[in-house]
Amino acid sequence: ASNVSSNSWTTTVLFSENFEGVTPPDIGNKFIKGKVSSSPAPINWVSAQEGSSKVVWSDHSMPYANDAQTFIDSSSINLSGKQAALLTFDLFCDTDRTFAYTDFVAVYASNNGGSSITRIGRIDENDMSFLPGATALRNGFRSPMEFDISPYISAQTMIEFRWETNGSNEVSSNYEGCFLDNIQIFEGVTTYGYRFLDGNSMAAPHVAGEAAM
């Protein structure tokens, strides 16, 4: 047995964006668009109607652009005084399916408003095809996602979703790319106790972070 801490999540929502109040292709005022300076690809993050809901696409052109490193950053979120925080969102991906992470969405977090950021996970269609909560949608998969962002709690917590593609495979294929919806941060409470560890992975059946990749 090992003495460990764990987090239990409340229903208190600390941040929320479902894009229902935006007018496509605008993404609203809770996120700003940008790109890594070395990326030759245009910034193609846009909102669009998806069934009865609005979502934000990483690149809504088909095929999506090669060599992209574009992103949407949240404004600073004041989480000071919170014990724990859980980032959740819905993700759809229809990308080149390899085990090499050629085209994917990466999730970053910061505790200083973005002055420095840390990648806490990355997800592509291949990952999503193995998730128990994933459902097939057209040629891709959609799934709820969760990331514990407790290490980044501060008065200037920031989250970033980054779209990265390589230099091939897209032009000759009609991959749709990825979209996000229902982005939320829930408050958590840290508890302490004993947990028996048997040497197997303790990862939850969702993509819990970079270590689970």
Side-chain angles (χ1 to χ4, degrees):
S2 177
N3 191 5
V4 297
S5 64
S6 63
N7 297 322
S8 58
W9 308 110
T10 72
T11 57
T12 301
V13 177
L14 306 174
F15 175 88
S16 181
E17 177 59 277
N18 62 9
F19 305 104
E20 291 305 310
V22 306
T23 301
D26 183 37
I27 66 168
N29 59 11
K30 293 186 179 180
F31 287 90
I32 59 170
K33 299 186 283 188
K35 71 175 185 176
V36 176
S37 59
S38 59
S39 172
I43 302 170
N44 287 335
W45 287 88
V46 295
S47 65
Q49 196 73 30
E50 176 66 30
S52 60
S53 302
K54 292 174 185 174
V55 302
V56 64
W57 283 89
S58 57
D59 186 341
H60 201 32
S61 55
M62 288 181 64
Y64 51 72
N66 290 328
D67 298 311
Q69 283 187 289
T70 65
F71 55 81
I72 55 172
D73 285 349
S74 74
S75 55
S76 290
I77 306 164
N78 187 357
L79 301 182
S80 59
K82 307 303 180 184
Q83 292 184 352
L86 181 73
L87 170 66
T88 71
F89 54 94
D90 293 332
L91 179 67
F92 164 83
C93 280
D94 173 23
T95 61
D96 187 19
R97 288 185 65 177
T98 72
F99 288 96
Y101 287 106
T102 55
D103 308 327
F104 56 90
V105 169
V107 184
Y108 288 76
S110 170
N111 63 2
N112 54 22
S115 295
S116 60
I117 58 174
T118 301
R119 190 175 73 186
I120 59 175
R122 56 182 177 176
I123 315 104
D124 62 7
E125 183 187 348
N126 192 63
D127 284 331
M128 298 183 70
S129 67
F130 293 102
L131 298 179
T135 56
L137 177 63
R138 297 189 290 275
N139 294 318
F141 291 91
R142 181 172 183 166
S143 179
M145 311 297 295
E146 298 180 355
F147 289 86
D148 187 342
I149 59 168
S150 301
Y152 306 95
I153 286 176
S154 76
Q156 293 183 299
T157 300
M158 189 207 76
I159 54 174
E160 175 177 295
F161 297 98
R162 186 179 298 185
W163 171 237
E164 298 194 32
T165 65
N166 68 353
S168 62
N169 298 324
E170 291 79 49
V171 173
S172 61
S173 305
N174 284 324
Y175 299 125
E176 291 189 81
C178 298
F179 69 66
L180 299 160
D181 195 14
N182 298 319
I183 302 168
Q184 294 183 298
I185 297 175
F186 289 92
E187 184 175 6
V189 177
T190 301
T191 57
Y192 295 88
Y194 287 92
R195 180 181 300 164
F196 285 91
L197 305 178
D198 62 4
N200 294 326
S201 171
M202 300 297 291
H206 54 254
V207 178
E210 190 67 18
M213 301 300 165

PDB file of all heavy atoms in Angstrom, residues 115-147:
ATOM      1  N   SER A 115       3.162  32.742 -19.941  1.00  0.00           N
ATOM      2  CA  SER A 115       4.591  33.080 -20.069  1.00  0.00           C
ATOM      3  C   SER A 115       5.421  31.824 -20.275  1.00  0.00           C
ATOM      4  O   SER A 115       6.420  31.823 -20.998  1.00  0.00           O
ATOM      5  CB  SER A 115       5.072  33.826 -18.822  1.00  0.00           C
ATOM      6  OG  SER A 115       4.424  35.071 -18.704  1.00  0.00           O
ATOM      7  N   SER A 116       5.006  30.739 -19.652  1.00  0.00           N
ATOM      8  CA  SER A 116       5.567  29.415 -19.929  1.00  0.00           C
ATOM      9  C   SER A 116       4.412  28.420 -19.910  1.00  0.00           C
ATOM     10  O   SER A 116       3.479  28.565 -19.114  1.00  0.00           O
ATOM     11  CB  SER A 116       6.622  29.026 -18.885  1.00  0.00           C
ATOM     12  OG  SER A 116       6.054  28.998 -17.585  1.00  0.00           O
ATOM     13  N   ILE A 117       4.452  27.456 -20.796  1.00  0.00           N
ATOM     14  CA  ILE A 117       3.372  26.484 -20.886  1.00  0.00           C
ATOM     15  C   ILE A 117       3.956  25.076 -20.941  1.00  0.00           C
ATOM     16  O   ILE A 117       5.089  24.878 -21.374  1.00  0.00           O
ATOM     17  CB  ILE A 117       2.456  26.726 -22.103  1.00  0.00           C
ATOM     18  CG1 ILE A 117       3.254  26.678 -23.420  1.00  0.00           C
ATOM     19  CG2 ILE A 117       1.718  28.042 -21.982  1.00  0.00           C
ATOM     20  CD1 ILE A 117       2.372  26.776 -24.652  1.00  0.00           C
ATOM     21  N   THR A 118       3.162  24.112 -20.491  1.00  0.00           N
ATOM     22  CA  THR A 118       3.591  22.717 -20.456  1.00  0.00           C
ATOM     23  C   THR A 118       2.575  21.864 -21.200  1.00  0.00           C
ATOM     24  O   THR A 118       1.369  21.986 -20.965  1.00  0.00           O
ATOM     25  CB  THR A 118       3.696  22.216 -19.001  1.00  0.00           C
ATOM     26  OG1 THR A 118       4.633  23.024 -18.291  1.00  0.00           O
ATOM     27  CG2 THR A 118       4.136  20.757 -18.960  1.00  0.00           C
ATOM     28  N   ARG A 119       3.078  21.018 -22.071  1.00  0.00           N
ATOM     29  CA  ARG A 119       2.163  20.093 -22.753  1.00  0.00           C
ATOM     30  C   ARG A 119       1.779  18.982 -21.787  1.00  0.00           C
ATOM     31  O   ARG A 119       2.637  18.297 -21.238  1.00  0.00           O
ATOM     32  CB  ARG A 119       2.820  19.494 -23.999  1.00  0.00           C
ATOM     33  CG  ARG A 119       1.808  18.723 -24.866  1.00  0.00           C
ATOM     34  CD  ARG A 119       2.425  18.238 -26.156  1.00  0.00           C
ATOM     35  NE  ARG A 119       3.330  17.118 -25.927  1.00  0.00           N
ATOM     36  CZ  ARG A 119       4.100  16.576 -26.878  1.00  0.00           C
ATOM     37  NH1 ARG A 119       4.103  17.099 -28.098  1.00  0.00           N
ATOM     38  NH2 ARG A 119       4.888  15.562 -26.610  1.00  0.00           N
ATOM     39  N   ILE A 120       0.473  18.804 -21.576  1.00  0.00           N
ATOM     40  CA  ILE A 120       0.000  17.779 -20.653  1.00  0.00           C
ATOM     41  C   ILE A 120      -0.664  16.607 -21.371  1.00  0.00           C
ATOM     42  O   ILE A 120      -1.037  15.623 -20.732  1.00  0.00           O
ATOM     43  CB  ILE A 120      -0.966  18.371 -19.613  1.00  0.00           C
ATOM     44  CG1 ILE A 120      -2.180  19.022 -20.281  1.00  0.00           C
ATOM     45  CG2 ILE A 120      -0.237  19.373 -18.725  1.00  0.00           C
ATOM     46  CD1 ILE A 120      -3.227  19.516 -19.290  1.00  0.00           C
ATOM     47  N   GLY A 121      -0.763  16.683 -22.679  1.00  0.00           N
ATOM     48  CA  GLY A 121      -1.318  15.565 -23.431  1.00  0.00           C
ATOM     49  C   GLY A 121      -1.432  15.882 -24.903  1.00  0.00           C
ATOM     50  O   GLY A 121      -1.334  17.044 -25.311  1.00  0.00           O
ATOM     51  N   ARG A 122      -1.591  14.849 -25.700  1.00  0.00           N
ATOM     52  CA  ARG A 122      -1.874  15.009 -27.126  1.00  0.00           C
ATOM     53  C   ARG A 122      -2.744  13.853 -27.559  1.00  0.00           C
ATOM     54  O   ARG A 122      -2.617  12.731 -27.056  1.00  0.00           O
ATOM     55  CB  ARG A 122      -0.592  15.093 -27.948  1.00  0.00           C
ATOM     56  CG  ARG A 122       0.342  13.922 -27.783  1.00  0.00           C
ATOM     57  CD  ARG A 122       1.615  14.105 -28.584  1.00  0.00           C
ATOM     58  NE  ARG A 122       2.545  13.010 -28.360  1.00  0.00           N
ATOM     59  CZ  ARG A 122       3.707  12.865 -28.985  1.00  0.00           C
ATOM     60  NH1 ARG A 122       4.070  13.754 -29.891  1.00  0.00           N
ATOM     61  NH2 ARG A 122       4.500  11.839 -28.736  1.00  0.00           N
ATOM     62  N   ILE A 123      -3.634  14.127 -28.510  1.00  0.00           N
ATOM     63  CA  ILE A 123      -4.631  13.134 -28.908  1.00  0.00           C
ATOM     64  C   ILE A 123      -4.813  13.204 -30.414  1.00  0.00           C
ATOM     65  O   ILE A 123      -4.904  14.288 -30.996  1.00  0.00           O
ATOM     66  CB  ILE A 123      -6.001  13.400 -28.242  1.00  0.00           C
ATOM     67  CG1 ILE A 123      -5.871  13.720 -26.755  1.00  0.00           C
ATOM     68  CG2 ILE A 123      -6.910  12.194 -28.437  1.00  0.00           C
ATOM     69  CD1 ILE A 123      -6.027  15.191 -26.416  1.00  0.00           C
ATOM     70  N   ASP A 124      -4.843  12.025 -31.058  1.00  0.00           N
ATOM     71  CA  ASP A 124      -5.199  11.952 -32.469  1.00  0.00           C
ATOM     72  C   ASP A 124      -6.291  10.902 -32.638  1.00  0.00           C
ATOM     73  O   ASP A 124      -6.753  10.291 -31.676  1.00  0.00           O
ATOM     74  CB  ASP A 124      -3.979  11.659 -33.337  1.00  0.00           C
ATOM     75  CG  ASP A 124      -3.327  10.308 -33.026  1.00  0.00           C
ATOM     76  OD1 ASP A 124      -3.881   9.526 -32.234  1.00  0.00           O
ATOM     77  OD2 ASP A 124      -2.247  10.036 -33.600  1.00  0.00           O
ATOM     78  N   GLU A 125      -6.692  10.685 -33.873  1.00  0.00           N
ATOM     79  CA  GLU A 125      -7.778   9.732 -34.115  1.00  0.00           C
ATOM     80  C   GLU A 125      -7.396   8.328 -33.674  1.00  0.00           C
ATOM     81  O   GLU A 125      -8.239   7.571 -33.178  1.00  0.00           O
ATOM     82  CB  GLU A 125      -8.169   9.723 -35.593  1.00  0.00           C
ATOM     83  CG  GLU A 125      -9.340   8.790 -35.874  1.00  0.00           C
ATOM     84  CD  GLU A 125      -9.640   8.630 -37.347  1.00  0.00           C
ATOM     85  OE1 GLU A 125      -9.104   9.395 -38.173  1.00  0.00           O
ATOM     86  OE2 GLU A 125     -10.432   7.718 -37.685  1.00  0.00           O
ATOM     87  N   ASN A 126      -6.137   7.973 -33.836  1.00  0.00           N
ATOM     88  CA  ASN A 126      -5.723   6.636 -33.439  1.00  0.00           C
ATOM     89  C   ASN A 126      -5.923   6.424 -31.940  1.00  0.00           C
ATOM     90  O   ASN A 126      -6.418   5.385 -31.504  1.00  0.00           O
ATOM     91  CB  ASN A 126      -4.262   6.395 -33.813  1.00  0.00           C
ATOM     92  CG  ASN A 126      -3.873   4.948 -33.677  1.00  0.00           C
ATOM     93  OD1 ASN A 126      -4.407   4.078 -34.368  1.00  0.00           O
ATOM     94  ND2 ASN A 126      -2.954   4.655 -32.780  1.00  0.00           N
ATOM     95  N   ASP A 127      -5.544   7.413 -31.115  1.00  0.00           N
ATOM     96  CA  ASP A 127      -5.810   7.342 -29.678  1.00  0.00           C
ATOM     97  C   ASP A 127      -7.294   7.146 -29.407  1.00  0.00           C
ATOM     98  O   ASP A 127      -7.704   6.302 -28.614  1.00  0.00           O
ATOM     99  CB  ASP A 127      -5.370   8.637 -28.978  1.00  0.00           C
ATOM    100  CG  ASP A 127      -3.872   8.745 -28.798  1.00  0.00           C
ATOM    101  OD1 ASP A 127      -3.209   7.697 -28.690  1.00  0.00           O
ATOM    102  OD2 ASP A 127      -3.365   9.868 -28.775  1.00  0.00           O
ATOM    103  N   MET A 128      -8.089   7.951 -30.069  1.00  0.00           N
ATOM    104  CA  MET A 128      -9.519   7.969 -29.767  1.00  0.00           C
ATOM    105  C   MET A 128     -10.206   6.669 -30.141  1.00  0.00           C
ATOM    106  O   MET A 128     -11.199   6.279 -29.523  1.00  0.00           O
ATOM    107  CB  MET A 128     -10.173   9.153 -30.467  1.00  0.00           C
ATOM    108  CG  MET A 128      -9.625  10.488 -29.991  1.00  0.00           C
ATOM    109  SD  MET A 128     -10.436  11.886 -30.749  1.00  0.00           S
ATOM    110  CE  MET A 128     -12.046  11.782 -29.976  1.00  0.00           C
ATOM    111  N   SER A 129      -9.671   5.979 -31.135  1.00  0.00           N
ATOM    112  CA  SER A 129     -10.288   4.715 -31.552  1.00  0.00           C
ATOM    113  C   SER A 129     -10.217   3.656 -30.466  1.00  0.00           C
ATOM    114  O   SER A 129     -10.969   2.682 -30.498  1.00  0.00           O
ATOM    115  CB  SER A 129      -9.619   4.198 -32.826  1.00  0.00           C
ATOM    116  OG  SER A 129      -8.268   3.806 -32.577  1.00  0.00           O
ATOM    117  N   PHE A 130      -9.315   3.836 -29.467  1.00  0.00           N
ATOM    118  CA  PHE A 130      -9.170   2.864 -28.390  1.00  0.00           C
ATOM    119  C   PHE A 130      -9.900   3.276 -27.110  1.00  0.00           C
ATOM    120  O   PHE A 130      -9.921   2.515 -26.141  1.00  0.00           O
ATOM    121  CB  PHE A 130      -7.681   2.661 -28.057  1.00  0.00           C
ATOM    122  CG  PHE A 130      -6.895   2.008 -29.157  1.00  0.00           C
ATOM    123  CD1 PHE A 130      -6.083   2.755 -29.987  1.00  0.00           C
ATOM    124  CD2 PHE A 130      -6.985   0.635 -29.369  1.00  0.00           C
ATOM    125  CE1 PHE A 130      -5.360   2.149 -31.014  1.00  0.00           C
ATOM    126  CE2 PHE A 130      -6.265   0.023 -30.388  1.00  0.00           C
ATOM    127  CZ  PHE A 130      -5.449   0.783 -31.210  1.00  0.00           C
ATOM    128  N   LEU A 131     -10.472   4.467 -27.076  1.00  0.00           N
ATOM    129  CA  LEU A 131     -11.113   4.936 -25.856  1.00  0.00           C
ATOM    130  C   LEU A 131     -12.494   4.304 -25.689  1.00  0.00           C
ATOM    131  O   LEU A 131     -13.297   4.306 -26.625  1.00  0.00           O
ATOM    132  CB  LEU A 131     -11.252   6.456 -25.881  1.00  0.00           C
ATOM    133  CG  LEU A 131      -9.949   7.256 -25.932  1.00  0.00           C
ATOM    134  CD1 LEU A 131     -10.248   8.745 -25.980  1.00  0.00           C
ATOM    135  CD2 LEU A 131      -9.052   6.918 -24.756  1.00  0.00           C
ATOM    136  N   PRO A 132     -12.809   3.779 -24.503  1.00  0.00           N
ATOM    137  CA  PRO A 132     -14.105   3.136 -24.303  1.00  0.00           C
ATOM    138  C   PRO A 132     -15.283   4.078 -24.454  1.00  0.00           C
ATOM    139  O   PRO A 132     -16.389   3.662 -24.776  1.00  0.00           O
ATOM    140  CB  PRO A 132     -14.027   2.573 -22.879  1.00  0.00           C
ATOM    141  CG  PRO A 132     -12.776   3.042 -22.287  1.00  0.00           C
ATOM    142  CD  PRO A 132     -11.931   3.668 -23.331  1.00  0.00           C
ATOM    143  N   GLY A 133     -15.065   5.390 -24.227  1.00  0.00           N
ATOM    144  CA  GLY A 133     -16.164   6.340 -24.348  1.00  0.00           C
ATOM    145  C   GLY A 133     -16.339   6.915 -25.733  1.00  0.00           C
ATOM    146  O   GLY A 133     -17.231   7.745 -25.959  1.00  0.00           O
ATOM    147  N   ALA A 134     -15.500   6.496 -26.686  1.00  0.00           N
ATOM    148  CA  ALA A 134     -15.543   7.074 -28.029  1.00  0.00           C
ATOM    149  C   ALA A 134     -16.683   6.495 -28.849  1.00  0.00           C
ATOM    150  O   ALA A 134     -17.033   5.317 -28.727  1.00  0.00           O
ATOM    151  CB  ALA A 134     -14.220   6.831 -28.739  1.00  0.00           C
ATOM    152  N   THR A 135     -17.272   7.338 -29.681  1.00  0.00           N
ATOM    153  CA  THR A 135     -18.300   6.901 -30.622  1.00  0.00           C
ATOM    154  C   THR A 135     -17.863   7.284 -32.029  1.00  0.00           C
ATOM    155  O   THR A 135     -17.251   8.335 -32.243  1.00  0.00           O
ATOM    156  CB  THR A 135     -19.656   7.552 -30.308  1.00  0.00           C
ATOM    157  OG1 THR A 135     -19.520   8.981 -30.309  1.00  0.00           O
ATOM    158  CG2 THR A 135     -20.172   7.094 -28.953  1.00  0.00           C
ATOM    159  N   ALA A 136     -18.157   6.420 -32.987  1.00  0.00           N
ATOM    160  CA  ALA A 136     -17.807   6.693 -34.375  1.00  0.00           C
ATOM    161  C   ALA A 136     -18.672   7.822 -34.915  1.00  0.00           C
ATOM    162  O   ALA A 136     -19.875   7.890 -34.654  1.00  0.00           O
ATOM    163  CB  ALA A 136     -17.991   5.438 -35.219  1.00  0.00           C
ATOM    164  N   LEU A 137     -18.054   8.728 -35.640  1.00  0.00           N
ATOM    165  CA  LEU A 137     -18.757   9.833 -36.282  1.00  0.00           C
ATOM    166  C   LEU A 137     -18.130  10.047 -37.643  1.00  0.00           C
ATOM    167  O   LEU A 137     -16.941  10.382 -37.738  1.00  0.00           O
ATOM    168  CB  LEU A 137     -18.662  11.104 -35.437  1.00  0.00           C
ATOM    169  CG  LEU A 137     -19.291  12.364 -36.032  1.00  0.00           C
ATOM    170  CD1 LEU A 137     -20.801  12.178 -36.210  1.00  0.00           C
ATOM    171  CD2 LEU A 137     -19.012  13.577 -35.139  1.00  0.00           C
ATOM    172  N   ARG A 138     -18.931   9.828 -38.684  1.00  0.00           N
ATOM    173  CA  ARG A 138     -18.420   9.866 -40.048  1.00  0.00           C
ATOM    174  C   ARG A 138     -17.168   8.992 -40.153  1.00  0.00           C
ATOM    175  O   ARG A 138     -17.227   7.810 -39.842  1.00  0.00           O
ATOM    176  CB  ARG A 138     -18.200  11.321 -40.487  1.00  0.00           C
ATOM    177  CG  ARG A 138     -19.501  12.133 -40.530  1.00  0.00           C
ATOM    178  CD  ARG A 138     -19.312  13.489 -41.179  1.00  0.00           C
ATOM    179  NE  ARG A 138     -18.539  14.407 -40.376  1.00  0.00           N
ATOM    180  CZ  ARG A 138     -19.034  15.177 -39.403  1.00  0.00           C
ATOM    181  NH1 ARG A 138     -20.315  15.113 -39.090  1.00  0.00           N
ATOM    182  NH2 ARG A 138     -18.253  16.023 -38.739  1.00  0.00           N
ATOM    183  N   ASN A 139     -16.022   9.557 -40.543  1.00  0.00           N
ATOM    184  CA  ASN A 139     -14.802   8.754 -40.670  1.00  0.00           C
ATOM    185  C   ASN A 139     -13.872   8.877 -39.473  1.00  0.00           C
ATOM    186  O   ASN A 139     -12.722   8.439 -39.524  1.00  0.00           O
ATOM    187  CB  ASN A 139     -14.042   9.158 -41.945  1.00  0.00           C
ATOM    188  CG  ASN A 139     -14.804   8.811 -43.197  1.00  0.00           C
ATOM    189  OD1 ASN A 139     -15.392   7.741 -43.299  1.00  0.00           O
ATOM    190  ND2 ASN A 139     -14.804   9.714 -44.167  1.00  0.00           N
ATOM    191  N   GLY A 140     -14.351   9.479 -38.375  1.00  0.00           N
ATOM    192  CA  GLY A 140     -13.527   9.664 -37.196  1.00  0.00           C
ATOM    193  C   GLY A 140     -14.211   9.191 -35.934  1.00  0.00           C
ATOM    194  O   GLY A 140     -15.139   8.374 -35.976  1.00  0.00           O
ATOM    195  N   PHE A 141     -13.763   9.734 -34.801  1.00  0.00           N
ATOM    196  CA  PHE A 141     -14.310   9.363 -33.498  1.00  0.00           C
ATOM    197  C   PHE A 141     -14.501  10.616 -32.656  1.00  0.00           C
ATOM    198  O   PHE A 141     -13.732  11.576 -32.758  1.00  0.00           O
ATOM    199  CB  PHE A 141     -13.369   8.402 -32.761  1.00  0.00           C
ATOM    200  CG  PHE A 141     -13.276   7.047 -33.380  1.00  0.00           C
ATOM    201  CD1 PHE A 141     -12.304   6.785 -34.336  1.00  0.00           C
ATOM    202  CD2 PHE A 141     -14.157   6.036 -33.034  1.00  0.00           C
ATOM    203  CE1 PHE A 141     -12.204   5.542 -34.926  1.00  0.00           C
ATOM    204  CE2 PHE A 141     -14.074   4.791 -33.614  1.00  0.00           C
ATOM    205  CZ  PHE A 141     -13.090   4.531 -34.568  1.00  0.00           C
ATOM    206  N   ARG A 142     -15.523  10.568 -31.795  1.00  0.00           N
ATOM    207  CA  ARG A 142     -15.793  11.647 -30.844  1.00  0.00           C
ATOM    208  C   ARG A 142     -15.815  11.061 -29.446  1.00  0.00           C
ATOM    209  O   ARG A 142     -16.357   9.966 -29.229  1.00  0.00           O
ATOM    210  CB  ARG A 142     -17.125  12.329 -31.152  1.00  0.00           C
ATOM    211  CG  ARG A 142     -17.454  13.486 -30.206  1.00  0.00           C
ATOM    212  CD  ARG A 142     -18.662  14.259 -30.659  1.00  0.00           C
ATOM    213  NE  ARG A 142     -18.918  15.403 -29.773  1.00  0.00           N
ATOM    214  CZ  ARG A 142     -19.734  16.401 -30.076  1.00  0.00           C
ATOM    215  NH1 ARG A 142     -20.362  16.424 -31.248  1.00  0.00           N
ATOM    216  NH2 ARG A 142     -19.913  17.400 -29.220  1.00  0.00           N
ATOM    217  N   SER A 143     -15.225  11.801 -28.487  1.00  0.00           N
ATOM    218  CA  SER A 143     -15.142  11.270 -27.129  1.00  0.00           C
ATOM    219  C   SER A 143     -15.020  12.406 -26.122  1.00  0.00           C
ATOM    220  O   SER A 143     -14.408  13.438 -26.419  1.00  0.00           O
ATOM    221  CB  SER A 143     -13.931  10.344 -26.989  1.00  0.00           C
ATOM    222  OG  SER A 143     -13.822   9.840 -25.671  1.00  0.00           O
ATOM    223  N   PRO A 144     -15.580  12.223 -24.920  1.00  0.00           N
ATOM    224  CA  PRO A 144     -15.278  13.159 -23.827  1.00  0.00           C
ATOM    225  C   PRO A 144     -13.852  12.945 -23.341  1.00  0.00           C
ATOM    226  O   PRO A 144     -13.363  11.819 -23.308  1.00  0.00           O
ATOM    227  CB  PRO A 144     -16.304  12.783 -22.747  1.00  0.00           C
ATOM    228  CG  PRO A 144     -16.629  11.347 -23.021  1.00  0.00           C
ATOM    229  CD  PRO A 144     -16.526  11.172 -24.511  1.00  0.00           C
ATOM    230  N   MET A 145     -13.175  14.029 -22.976  1.00  0.00           N
ATOM    231  CA  MET A 145     -11.790  13.974 -22.525  1.00  0.00           C
ATOM    232  C   MET A 145     -11.663  14.645 -21.170  1.00  0.00           C
ATOM    233  O   MET A 145     -12.429  15.555 -20.843  1.00  0.00           O
ATOM    234  CB  MET A 145     -10.873  14.691 -23.532  1.00  0.00           C
ATOM    235  CG  MET A 145     -11.077  14.298 -24.992  1.00  0.00           C
ATOM    236  SD  MET A 145     -10.730  12.563 -25.339  1.00  0.00           S
ATOM    237  CE  MET A 145      -8.981  12.508 -24.993  1.00  0.00           C
ATOM    238  N   GLU A 146     -10.671  14.214 -20.380  1.00  0.00           N
ATOM    239  CA  GLU A 146     -10.419  14.787 -19.060  1.00  0.00           C
ATOM    240  C   GLU A 146      -8.915  14.933 -18.818  1.00  0.00           C
ATOM    241  O   GLU A 146      -8.144  14.026 -19.145  1.00  0.00           O
ATOM    242  CB  GLU A 146     -10.999  13.895 -17.953  1.00  0.00           C
ATOM    243  CG  GLU A 146     -12.502  13.721 -17.990  1.00  0.00           C
ATOM    244  CD  GLU A 146     -13.002  12.830 -16.868  1.00  0.00           C
ATOM    245  OE1 GLU A 146     -12.155  12.279 -16.124  1.00  0.00           O
ATOM    246  OE2 GLU A 146     -14.218  12.669 -16.731  1.00  0.00           O
ATOM    247  N   PHE A 147      -8.529  16.068 -18.241  1.00  0.00           N
ATOM    248  CA  PHE A 147      -7.147  16.292 -17.841  1.00  0.00           C
ATOM    249  C   PHE A 147      -7.135  16.970 -16.469  1.00  0.00           C
ATOM    250  O   PHE A 147      -7.805  17.988 -16.273  1.00  0.00           O
ATOM    251  CB  PHE A 147      -6.412  17.192 -18.845  1.00  0.00           C
ATOM    252  CG  PHE A 147      -6.130  16.542 -20.167  1.00  0.00           C
ATOM    253  CD1 PHE A 147      -7.071  16.553 -21.181  1.00  0.00           C
ATOM    254  CD2 PHE A 147      -4.914  15.917 -20.395  1.00  0.00           C
ATOM    255  CE1 PHE A 147      -6.811  15.951 -22.398  1.00  0.00           C
ATOM    256  CE2 PHE A 147      -4.646  15.311 -21.617  1.00  0.00           C
ATOM    257  CZ  PHE A 147      -5.596  15.327 -22.612  1.00  0.00           C
TER     258      PHE A 147
END
